[in-house]
Amino acid sequence: MDALYRRMPVDRLRVPAADFAAVLNDAAARFAADRSDRFAAGALACAQWIAGITGDHPIRDGREPCTVEGMESCQMLADAVVYEMPHAPSGIDQRWALGVAGMVSWAHGAARRPPVSIDSHRAA
């Protein structure tokens, strides 16, 4: 897994890469502990997309490489679901979208806190 993090494209991150990796690990651990946690599932899917682990867009159906512009669009789509806006994509769980919104917002510097707490005892 460490090799995967070393290949992670950091140009789109506005947070330290080590912090991002730690949050990704914590989101994965939280989801592994409770597979019904839709918030953690959304945050994890978004973090994996941002890190380039998967090309699956966390809100839209289909594959789309993550870019800075794509992250901004993802944020708007996730917010639209969370706030039940008329143009929101249909069929997206609100808790999932909240996890996505939290992750993308923090990763591109719009939020100061990560969506899941960083376990300071775990190495990224």
Side-chain angles (χ1 to χ4, degrees):
M1 195 61 110
D2 287 340
L4 183 62
Y5 291 137
R6 282 192 289 277
R7 292 191 318 264
M8 186 172 55
V10 296
D11 59 325
R12 63 184 74 125
L13 295 177
R14 300 296 177 259
V15 296
D19 288 353
F20 182 81
V23 170
L24 191 157
N25 285 338
D26 284 355
R30 179 173 160 176
F31 181 62
D34 181 2
R35 295 280 185 183
S36 67
D37 186 341
R38 302 312 298 157
F39 178 90
L44 177 60
C46 186
Q48 290 174 330
W49 177 66
I50 292 168
I53 296 169
T54 182
D56 296 335
H57 193 282
I59 295 290
R60 289 191 194 114
D61 281 335
R63 297 181 62 81
E64 177 182 321
C66 182
T67 63
V68 172
E69 296 80 17
M71 289 172 70
E72 292 167 359
S73 173
C74 181
Q75 174 77 57
M76 289 187 285
L77 290 170
D79 286 346
V81 172
V82 170
Y83 296 109
E84 299 178 336
M85 296 176 174
H87 64 279
S90 61
I92 307 291
D93 180 85
Q94 276 188 305
R95 295 286 302 157
W96 172 283
L98 191 59
V100 171
M103 183 61 74
V104 74
S105 176
W106 173 72
H108 78 80
R112 292 190 296 163
R113 291 188 178 154
V116 296
S117 59
I118 298 175
D119 182 351
S120 60
H121 302 293
R122 190 175 315 162

